[in-house]
PDB file of all heavy atoms in Angstrom:
ATOM      1  N   VAL L  19       0.218  -6.192  -3.631  1.00 97.00           N
ATOM      2  CA  VAL L  19       0.873  -5.903  -2.366  1.00 97.00           C
ATOM      3  C   VAL L  19      -0.004  -6.453  -1.255  1.00 97.00           C
ATOM      4  O   VAL L  19      -1.177  -6.078  -1.150  1.00 97.00           O
ATOM      5  CB  VAL L  19       1.114  -4.395  -2.173  1.00 97.00           C
ATOM      6  CG1 VAL L  19       1.693  -4.109  -0.791  1.00 97.00           C
ATOM      7  CG2 VAL L  19       2.039  -3.860  -3.264  1.00 97.00           C
ATOM      8  N   VAL L  20       0.557  -7.335  -0.449  1.00 96.00           N
ATOM      9  CA  VAL L  20      -0.159  -7.871   0.707  1.00 96.00           C
ATOM     10  C   VAL L  20       0.270  -7.026   1.903  1.00 96.00           C
ATOM     11  O   VAL L  20       1.361  -7.192   2.445  1.00 96.00           O
ATOM     12  CB  VAL L  20       0.144  -9.361   0.932  1.00 96.00           C
ATOM     13  CG1 VAL L  20      -0.714  -9.893   2.077  1.00 96.00           C
ATOM     14  CG2 VAL L  20      -0.084 -10.169  -0.339  1.00 96.00           C
ATOM     15  N   GLY L  21      -0.581  -6.083   2.239  1.00 93.00           N
ATOM     16  CA  GLY L  21      -0.275  -5.159   3.316  1.00 93.00           C
ATOM     17  C   GLY L  21      -1.188  -3.957   3.235  1.00 93.00           C
ATOM     18  O   GLY L  21      -2.056  -3.883   2.365  1.00 93.00           O
ATOM     19  N   PRO L  22      -0.966  -2.996   4.131  1.00 91.00           N
ATOM     20  CA  PRO L  22      -1.822  -1.800   4.138  1.00 91.00           C
ATOM     21  C   PRO L  22      -1.729  -1.020   2.828  1.00 91.00           C
ATOM     22  O   PRO L  22      -0.668  -0.948   2.215  1.00 91.00           O
ATOM     23  CB  PRO L  22      -1.261  -0.955   5.282  1.00 91.00           C
ATOM     24  CG  PRO L  22      -0.420  -1.876   6.090  1.00 91.00           C
ATOM     25  CD  PRO L  22       0.043  -2.956   5.184  1.00 91.00           C
ATOM     26  N   ARG L  23      -2.851  -0.455   2.421  1.00 92.00           N
ATOM     27  CA  ARG L  23      -2.911   0.368   1.201  1.00 92.00           C
ATOM     28  C   ARG L  23      -2.050   1.606   1.387  1.00 92.00           C
ATOM     29  O   ARG L  23      -2.017   2.203   2.445  1.00 92.00           O
ATOM     30  CB  ARG L  23      -4.355   0.768   0.924  1.00 92.00           C
ATOM     31  CG  ARG L  23      -4.508   1.596  -0.351  1.00 92.00           C
ATOM     32  CD  ARG L  23      -5.956   1.799  -0.734  1.00 92.00           C
ATOM     33  NE  ARG L  23      -6.647   0.561  -1.038  1.00 92.00           N
ATOM     34  CZ  ARG L  23      -6.539  -0.123  -2.180  1.00 92.00           C
ATOM     35  NH1 ARG L  23      -5.749   0.321  -3.127  1.00 92.00           N
ATOM     36  NH2 ARG L  23      -7.212  -1.230  -2.367  1.00 92.00           N
ATOM     37  N   ARG L  24      -1.362   1.971   0.305  1.00 91.00           N
ATOM     38  CA  ARG L  24      -0.478   3.137   0.303  1.00 91.00           C
ATOM     39  C   ARG L  24      -0.729   3.941  -0.965  1.00 91.00           C
ATOM     40  O   ARG L  24      -1.194   3.388  -1.958  1.00 91.00           O
ATOM     41  CB  ARG L  24       0.980   2.683   0.328  1.00 91.00           C
ATOM     42  CG  ARG L  24       1.321   1.905   1.586  1.00 91.00           C
ATOM     43  CD  ARG L  24       2.629   1.167   1.445  1.00 91.00           C
ATOM     44  NE  ARG L  24       2.860   0.314   2.589  1.00 91.00           N
ATOM     45  CZ  ARG L  24       3.341   0.723   3.751  1.00 91.00           C
ATOM     46  NH1 ARG L  24       3.657   1.976   3.924  1.00 91.00           N
ATOM     47  NH2 ARG L  24       3.504  -0.119   4.741  1.00 91.00           N
ATOM     48  N   PRO L  25      -0.363   5.218  -0.964  1.00 88.00           N
ATOM     49  CA  PRO L  25      -0.557   6.013  -2.179  1.00 88.00           C
ATOM     50  C   PRO L  25       0.344   5.566  -3.327  1.00 88.00           C
ATOM     51  O   PRO L  25      -0.026   5.693  -4.485  1.00 88.00           O
ATOM     52  CB  PRO L  25      -0.249   7.443  -1.746  1.00 88.00           C
ATOM     53  CG  PRO L  25       0.449   7.349  -0.436  1.00 88.00           C
ATOM     54  CD  PRO L  25       0.124   6.020   0.163  1.00 88.00           C
ATOM     55  N   VAL L  26       1.530   5.077  -3.021  1.00 85.00           N
ATOM     56  CA  VAL L  26       2.444   4.534  -4.026  1.00 85.00           C
ATOM     57  C   VAL L  26       3.107   3.295  -3.449  1.00 85.00           C
ATOM     58  O   VAL L  26       3.297   3.214  -2.237  1.00 85.00           O
ATOM     59  CB  VAL L  26       3.530   5.564  -4.466  1.00 85.00           C
ATOM     60  CG1 VAL L  26       2.940   6.665  -5.307  1.00 85.00           C
ATOM     61  CG2 VAL L  26       4.289   6.111  -3.292  1.00 85.00           C
ATOM     62  N   PRO L  27       3.393   2.353  -4.265  1.00 91.00           N
ATOM     63  CA  PRO L  27       3.232   2.289  -5.708  1.00 91.00           C
ATOM     64  C   PRO L  27       1.806   1.911  -6.102  1.00 91.00           C
ATOM     65  O   PRO L  27       1.040   1.409  -5.281  1.00 91.00           O
ATOM     66  CB  PRO L  27       4.206   1.183  -6.125  1.00 91.00           C
ATOM     67  CG  PRO L  27       4.204   0.253  -4.950  1.00 91.00           C
ATOM     68  CD  PRO L  27       4.076   1.148  -3.736  1.00 91.00           C
ATOM     69  N   ALA L  28       1.508   2.127  -7.384  1.00 92.00           N
ATOM     70  CA  ALA L  28       0.231   1.677  -7.919  1.00 92.00           C
ATOM     71  C   ALA L  28       0.253   0.159  -7.919  1.00 92.00           C
ATOM     72  O   ALA L  28       1.180  -0.454  -8.440  1.00 92.00           O
ATOM     73  CB  ALA L  28       0.027   2.211  -9.329  1.00 92.00           C
ATOM     74  N   ALA L  29      -0.736  -0.446  -7.299  1.00 95.00           N
ATOM     75  CA  ALA L  29      -0.788  -1.902  -7.171  1.00 95.00           C
ATOM     76  C   ALA L  29      -2.184  -2.299  -6.717  1.00 95.00           C
ATOM     77  O   ALA L  29      -2.998  -1.453  -6.350  1.00 95.00           O
ATOM     78  CB  ALA L  29       0.254  -2.384  -6.151  1.00 95.00           C
ATOM     79  N   ARG L  30      -2.434  -3.591  -6.729  1.00 96.00           N
ATOM     80  CA  ARG L  30      -3.645  -4.131  -6.111  1.00 96.00           C
ATOM     81  C   ARG L  30      -3.253  -4.482  -4.672  1.00 96.00           C
ATOM     82  O   ARG L  30      -2.318  -5.248  -4.450  1.00 96.00           O
ATOM     83  CB  ARG L  30      -4.105  -5.383  -6.852  1.00 96.00           C
ATOM     84  CG  ARG L  30      -5.412  -5.927  -6.325  1.00 96.00           C
ATOM     85  CD  ARG L  30      -5.980  -7.074  -7.169  1.00 96.00           C
ATOM     86  NE  ARG L  30      -5.552  -7.029  -8.553  1.00 96.00           N
ATOM     87  CZ  ARG L  30      -5.007  -8.065  -9.203  1.00 96.00           C
ATOM     88  NH1 ARG L  30      -4.844  -9.214  -8.621  1.00 96.00           N
ATOM     89  NH2 ARG L  30      -4.654  -7.945 -10.468  1.00 96.00           N
ATOM     90  N   TYR L  31      -3.926  -3.891  -3.702  1.00 96.00           N
ATOM     91  CA  TYR L  31      -3.618  -4.115  -2.294  1.00 96.00           C
ATOM     92  C   TYR L  31      -4.625  -5.088  -1.697  1.00 96.00           C
ATOM     93  O   TYR L  31      -5.839  -4.922  -1.875  1.00 96.00           O
ATOM     94  CB  TYR L  31      -3.638  -2.792  -1.524  1.00 96.00           C
ATOM     95  CG  TYR L  31      -2.442  -1.914  -1.855  1.00 96.00           C
ATOM     96  CD1 TYR L  31      -2.459  -1.098  -2.980  1.00 96.00           C
ATOM     97  CD2 TYR L  31      -1.302  -1.938  -1.062  1.00 96.00           C
ATOM     98  CE1 TYR L  31      -1.357  -0.308  -3.304  1.00 96.00           C
ATOM     99  CE2 TYR L  31      -0.204  -1.155  -1.382  1.00 96.00           C
ATOM    100  CZ  TYR L  31      -0.236  -0.347  -2.498  1.00 96.00           C
ATOM    101  OH  TYR L  31       0.841   0.424  -2.817  1.00 96.00           O
ATOM    102  N   VAL L  32      -4.117  -6.077  -0.983  1.00 96.00           N
ATOM    103  CA  VAL L  32      -4.951  -7.055  -0.306  1.00 96.00           C
ATOM    104  C   VAL L  32      -4.366  -7.282   1.088  1.00 96.00           C
ATOM    105  O   VAL L  32      -3.213  -6.951   1.347  1.00 96.00           O
ATOM    106  CB  VAL L  32      -5.038  -8.390  -1.093  1.00 96.00           C
ATOM    107  CG1 VAL L  32      -5.721  -8.184  -2.435  1.00 96.00           C
ATOM    108  CG2 VAL L  32      -3.662  -9.016  -1.283  1.00 96.00           C
ATOM    109  N   ARG L  33      -5.165  -7.848   1.983  1.00 94.00           N
ATOM    110  CA  ARG L  33      -4.708  -8.139   3.348  1.00 94.00           C
ATOM    111  C   ARG L  33      -5.044  -9.573   3.693  1.00 94.00           C
ATOM    112  O   ARG L  33      -6.138 -10.064   3.390  1.00 94.00           O
ATOM    113  CB  ARG L  33      -5.401  -7.229   4.366  1.00 94.00           C
ATOM    114  CG  ARG L  33      -5.053  -5.755   4.305  1.00 94.00           C
ATOM    115  CD  ARG L  33      -3.584  -5.418   4.487  1.00 94.00           C
ATOM    116  NE  ARG L  33      -2.952  -5.905   5.688  1.00 94.00           N
ATOM    117  CZ  ARG L  33      -2.721  -5.177   6.773  1.00 94.00           C
ATOM    118  NH1 ARG L  33      -3.113  -3.937   6.830  1.00 94.00           N
ATOM    119  NH2 ARG L  33      -2.120  -5.703   7.807  1.00 94.00           N
ATOM    120  N   GLU L  34      -4.114 -10.232   4.350  1.00 90.00           N
ATOM    121  CA  GLU L  34      -4.395 -11.558   4.880  1.00 90.00           C
ATOM    122  C   GLU L  34      -5.307 -11.406   6.100  1.00 90.00           C
ATOM    123  O   GLU L  34      -5.400 -10.321   6.670  1.00 90.00           O
ATOM    124  CB  GLU L  34      -3.101 -12.305   5.231  1.00 90.00           C
ATOM    125  CG  GLU L  34      -2.379 -11.802   6.460  1.00 90.00           C
ATOM    126  CD  GLU L  34      -1.444 -10.622   6.216  1.00 90.00           C
ATOM    127  OE1 GLU L  34      -1.647  -9.833   5.277  1.00 90.00           O
ATOM    128  OE2 GLU L  34      -0.506 -10.465   7.001  1.00 90.00           O
ATOM    129  N   ASP L  35      -5.983 -12.491   6.461  1.00 85.00           N
ATOM    130  CA  ASP L  35      -6.922 -12.451   7.581  1.00 85.00           C
ATOM    131  C   ASP L  35      -6.478 -13.464   8.627  1.00 85.00           C
ATOM    132  O   ASP L  35      -6.464 -14.657   8.343  1.00 85.00           O
ATOM    133  CB  ASP L  35      -8.337 -12.762   7.088  1.00 85.00           C
ATOM    134  CG  ASP L  35      -9.378 -12.570   8.171  1.00 85.00           C
ATOM    135  OD1 ASP L  35      -9.132 -11.789   9.112  1.00 85.00           O
ATOM    136  OD2 ASP L  35     -10.433 -13.217   8.076  1.00 85.00           O
ATOM    137  N   PRO L  36      -6.107 -12.975   9.809  1.00 82.00           N
ATOM    138  CA  PRO L  36      -6.045 -11.579  10.236  1.00 82.00           C
ATOM    139  C   PRO L  36      -4.781 -10.906   9.709  1.00 82.00           C
ATOM    140  O   PRO L  36      -3.777 -11.583   9.432  1.00 82.00           O
ATOM    141  CB  PRO L  36      -6.023 -11.684  11.764  1.00 82.00           C
ATOM    142  CG  PRO L  36      -5.332 -12.980  12.045  1.00 82.00           C
ATOM    143  CD  PRO L  36      -5.750 -13.892  10.919  1.00 82.00           C
ATOM    144  N   PRO L  37      -4.801  -9.583   9.590  1.00 83.00           N
ATOM    145  CA  PRO L  37      -3.607  -8.864   9.159  1.00 83.00           C
ATOM    146  C   PRO L  37      -2.424  -9.176  10.075  1.00 83.00           C
ATOM    147  O   PRO L  37      -2.583  -9.275  11.291  1.00 83.00           O
ATOM    148  CB  PRO L  37      -4.009  -7.392   9.269  1.00 83.00           C
ATOM    149  CG  PRO L  37      -5.494  -7.418   9.080  1.00 83.00           C
ATOM    150  CD  PRO L  37      -5.947  -8.679   9.768  1.00 83.00           C
ATOM    151  N   GLY L  38      -1.266  -9.360   9.478  1.00 82.00           N
ATOM    152  CA  GLY L  38      -0.066  -9.669  10.247  1.00 82.00           C
ATOM    153  C   GLY L  38       0.049 -11.126  10.657  1.00 82.00           C
ATOM    154  O   GLY L  38       0.852 -11.466  11.522  1.00 82.00           O
ATOM    155  N   ALA L  39      -0.733 -12.011  10.037  1.00 85.00           N
ATOM    156  CA  ALA L  39      -0.749 -13.423  10.426  1.00 85.00           C
ATOM    157  C   ALA L  39       0.525 -14.172  10.053  1.00 85.00           C
ATOM    158  O   ALA L  39       0.735 -15.285  10.521  1.00 85.00           O
ATOM    159  CB  ALA L  39      -1.966 -14.113   9.809  1.00 85.00           C
ATOM    160  N   GLY L  40       1.347 -13.583   9.207  1.00 89.00           N
ATOM    161  CA  GLY L  40       2.594 -14.244   8.852  1.00 89.00           C
ATOM    162  C   GLY L  40       2.735 -14.438   7.361  1.00 89.00           C
ATOM    163  O   GLY L  40       1.807 -14.186   6.586  1.00 89.00           O
ATOM    164  N   PRO L  41       3.914 -14.900   6.946  1.00 93.00           N
ATOM    165  CA  PRO L  41       4.195 -14.979   5.515  1.00 93.00           C
ATOM    166  C   PRO L  41       3.391 -16.027   4.754  1.00 93.00           C
ATOM    167  O   PRO L  41       3.046 -15.807   3.591  1.00 93.00           O
ATOM    168  CB  PRO L  41       5.693 -15.266   5.450  1.00 93.00           C
ATOM    169  CG  PRO L  41       6.046 -15.836   6.773  1.00 93.00           C
ATOM    170  CD  PRO L  41       5.091 -15.239   7.756  1.00 93.00           C
ATOM    171  N   VAL L  42       3.065 -17.155   5.365  1.00 95.00           N
ATOM    172  CA  VAL L  42       2.297 -18.171   4.628  1.00 95.00           C
ATOM    173  C   VAL L  42       0.864 -17.693   4.392  1.00 95.00           C
ATOM    174  O   VAL L  42       0.381 -17.756   3.256  1.00 95.00           O
ATOM    175  CB  VAL L  42       2.369 -19.555   5.304  1.00 95.00           C
ATOM    176  CG1 VAL L  42       1.418 -20.540   4.639  1.00 95.00           C
ATOM    177  CG2 VAL L  42       3.810 -20.096   5.253  1.00 95.00           C
ATOM    178  N   PRO L  43       0.152 -17.180   5.409  1.00 94.00           N
ATOM    179  CA  PRO L  43      -1.171 -16.628   5.117  1.00 94.00           C
ATOM    180  C   PRO L  43      -1.112 -15.452   4.126  1.00 94.00           C
ATOM    181  O   PRO L  43      -1.993 -15.309   3.269  1.00 94.00           O
ATOM    182  CB  PRO L  43      -1.693 -16.166   6.476  1.00 94.00           C
ATOM    183  CG  PRO L  43      -0.976 -17.030   7.457  1.00 94.00           C
ATOM    184  CD  PRO L  43       0.392 -17.233   6.860  1.00 94.00           C
ATOM    185  N   ALA L  44      -0.070 -14.635   4.215  1.00 95.00           N
ATOM    186  CA  ALA L  44       0.076 -13.526   3.263  1.00 95.00           C
ATOM    187  C   ALA L  44       0.285 -14.068   1.855  1.00 95.00           C
ATOM    188  O   ALA L  44      -0.299 -13.563   0.892  1.00 95.00           O
ATOM    189  CB  ALA L  44       1.231 -12.627   3.676  1.00 95.00           C
ATOM    190  N   LEU L  45       1.110 -15.099   1.718  1.00 97.00           N
ATOM    191  CA  LEU L  45       1.315 -15.723   0.406  1.00 97.00           C
ATOM    192  C   LEU L  45      -0.001 -16.288  -0.130  1.00 97.00           C
ATOM    193  O   LEU L  45      -0.334 -16.088  -1.299  1.00 97.00           O
ATOM    194  CB  LEU L  45       2.371 -16.822   0.495  1.00 97.00           C
ATOM    195  CG  LEU L  45       2.511 -17.717  -0.738  1.00 97.00           C
ATOM    196  CD1 LEU L  45       2.835 -16.916  -1.994  1.00 97.00           C
ATOM    197  CD2 LEU L  45       3.559 -18.779  -0.483  1.00 97.00           C
ATOM    198  N   ARG L  46      -0.765 -16.985   0.707  1.00 96.00           N
ATOM    199  CA  ARG L  46      -2.061 -17.528   0.269  1.00 96.00           C
ATOM    200  C   ARG L  46      -2.946 -16.411  -0.287  1.00 96.00           C
ATOM    201  O   ARG L  46      -3.572 -16.570  -1.333  1.00 96.00           O
ATOM    202  CB  ARG L  46      -2.793 -18.205   1.431  1.00 96.00           C
ATOM    203  CG  ARG L  46      -2.290 -19.544   1.833  1.00 96.00           C
ATOM    204  CD  ARG L  46      -3.159 -20.121   2.969  1.00 96.00           C
ATOM    205  NE  ARG L  46      -2.518 -21.218   3.631  1.00 96.00           N
ATOM    206  CZ  ARG L  46      -2.518 -22.466   3.208  1.00 96.00           C
ATOM    207  NH1 ARG L  46      -3.149 -22.778   2.098  1.00 96.00           N
ATOM    208  NH2 ARG L  46      -1.898 -23.415   3.886  1.00 96.00           N
ATOM    209  N   THR L  47      -3.009 -15.302   0.423  1.00 96.00           N
ATOM    210  CA  THR L  47      -3.851 -14.181   0.011  1.00 96.00           C
ATOM    211  C   THR L  47      -3.358 -13.574  -1.294  1.00 96.00           C
ATOM    212  O   THR L  47      -4.140 -13.314  -2.209  1.00 96.00           O
ATOM    213  CB  THR L  47      -3.905 -13.125   1.127  1.00 96.00           C
ATOM    214  OG1 THR L  47      -4.453 -13.739   2.299  1.00 96.00           O
ATOM    215  CG2 THR L  47      -4.750 -11.935   0.721  1.00 96.00           C
ATOM    216  N   GLY L  48      -2.068 -13.339  -1.391  1.00 97.00           N
ATOM    217  CA  GLY L  48      -1.508 -12.771  -2.613  1.00 97.00           C
ATOM    218  C   GLY L  48      -1.634 -13.696  -3.794  1.00 97.00           C
ATOM    219  O   GLY L  48      -1.987 -13.276  -4.908  1.00 97.00           O
ATOM    220  N   LEU L  49      -1.376 -14.977  -3.589  1.00 98.00           N
ATOM    221  CA  LEU L  49      -1.446 -15.958  -4.676  1.00 98.00           C
ATOM    222  C   LEU L  49      -2.860 -16.081  -5.234  1.00 98.00           C
ATOM    223  O   LEU L  49      -3.034 -16.342  -6.429  1.00 98.00           O
ATOM    224  CB  LEU L  49      -0.927 -17.313  -4.197  1.00 98.00           C
ATOM    225  CG  LEU L  49      -0.775 -18.396  -5.247  1.00 98.00           C
ATOM    226  CD1 LEU L  49       0.149 -17.972  -6.385  1.00 98.00           C
ATOM    227  CD2 LEU L  49      -0.264 -19.679  -4.590  1.00 98.00           C
ATOM    228  N   ALA L  50      -3.862 -15.859  -4.405  1.00 97.00           N
ATOM    229  CA  ALA L  50      -5.250 -15.901  -4.885  1.00 97.00           C
ATOM    230  C   ALA L  50      -5.512 -14.841  -5.950  1.00 97.00           C
ATOM    231  O   ALA L  50      -6.444 -14.981  -6.754  1.00 97.00           O
ATOM    232  CB  ALA L  50      -6.215 -15.715  -3.714  1.00 97.00           C
ATOM    233  N   GLU L  51      -4.686 -13.794  -6.001  1.00 98.00           N
ATOM    234  CA  GLU L  51      -4.843 -12.714  -6.977  1.00 98.00           C
ATOM    235  C   GLU L  51      -3.991 -12.910  -8.234  1.00 98.00           C
ATOM    236  O   GLU L  51      -4.139 -12.158  -9.198  1.00 98.00           O
ATOM    237  CB  GLU L  51      -4.463 -11.376  -6.327  1.00 98.00           C
ATOM    238  CG  GLU L  51      -5.266 -11.046  -5.080  1.00 98.00           C
ATOM    239  CD  GLU L  51      -6.733 -10.818  -5.386  1.00 98.00           C
ATOM    240  OE1 GLU L  51      -7.038 -10.205  -6.426  1.00 98.00           O
ATOM    241  OE2 GLU L  51      -7.582 -11.259  -4.587  1.00 98.00           O
ATOM    242  N   VAL L  52      -3.088 -13.890  -8.212  1.00 98.00           N
ATOM    243  CA  VAL L  52      -2.171 -14.120  -9.338  1.00 98.00           C
ATOM    244  C   VAL L  52      -2.935 -14.753 -10.502  1.00 98.00           C
ATOM    245  O   VAL L  52      -3.659 -15.737 -10.325  1.00 98.00           O
ATOM    246  CB  VAL L  52      -0.991 -15.020  -8.901  1.00 98.00           C
ATOM    247  CG1 VAL L  52      -0.188 -15.524 -10.091  1.00 98.00           C
ATOM    248  CG2 VAL L  52      -0.098 -14.263  -7.928  1.00 98.00           C
ATOM    249  N   ARG L  53      -2.761 -14.185 -11.687  1.00 98.00           N
ATOM    250  CA  ARG L  53      -3.413 -14.689 -12.898  1.00 98.00           C
ATOM    251  C   ARG L  53      -2.415 -15.257 -13.906  1.00 98.00           C
ATOM    252  O   ARG L  53      -2.788 -16.027 -14.779  1.00 98.00           O
ATOM    253  CB  ARG L  53      -4.218 -13.576 -13.573  1.00 98.00           C
ATOM    254  CG  ARG L  53      -5.298 -12.986 -12.690  1.00 98.00           C
ATOM    255  CD  ARG L  53      -6.387 -14.007 -12.368  1.00 98.00           C
ATOM    256  NE  ARG L  53      -7.322 -13.493 -11.378  1.00 98.00           N
ATOM    257  CZ  ARG L  53      -7.395 -13.908 -10.119  1.00 98.00           C
ATOM    258  NH1 ARG L  53      -6.581 -14.829  -9.666  1.00 98.00           N
ATOM    259  NH2 ARG L  53      -8.288 -13.402  -9.291  1.00 98.00           N
ATOM    260  N   GLU L  54      -1.168 -14.887 -13.795  1.00 98.00           N
ATOM    261  CA  GLU L  54      -0.137 -15.360 -14.714  1.00 98.00           C
ATOM    262  C   GLU L  54       0.378 -16.735 -14.267  1.00 98.00           C
ATOM    263  O   GLU L  54       0.197 -17.128 -13.109  1.00 98.00           O
ATOM    264  CB  GLU L  54       1.028 -14.365 -14.772  1.00 98.00           C
ATOM    265  CG  GLU L  54       0.646 -13.020 -15.358  1.00 98.00           C
ATOM    266  CD  GLU L  54       0.294 -13.090 -16.835  1.00 98.00           C
ATOM    267  OE1 GLU L  54       0.887 -13.900 -17.566  1.00 98.00           O
ATOM    268  OE2 GLU L  54      -0.590 -12.324 -17.264  1.00 98.00           O
TER     269      GLU L  54
END
């Protein structure tokens, strides 16, 4: 989940830098965590 940490759902939470920078920076951040 690229966004603020929440109690649910169970997930790995990450934030783009700066937070709220937009969908492409968020995708870059999330994709860095993809292993499949």
Side-chain angles (χ1 to χ4, degrees):
V19 175
V20 185
R23 182 171 297 282
R24 298 165 187 279
V26 289
R30 184 173 334 129
Y31 288 83
V32 296
R33 292 301 305 260
E34 72 275 27
D35 187 25
V42 172
L45 170 58
R46 284 182 196 277
T47 300
L49 187 57
E51 303 294 321
V52 168
R53 301 295 172 252
E54 295 293 326

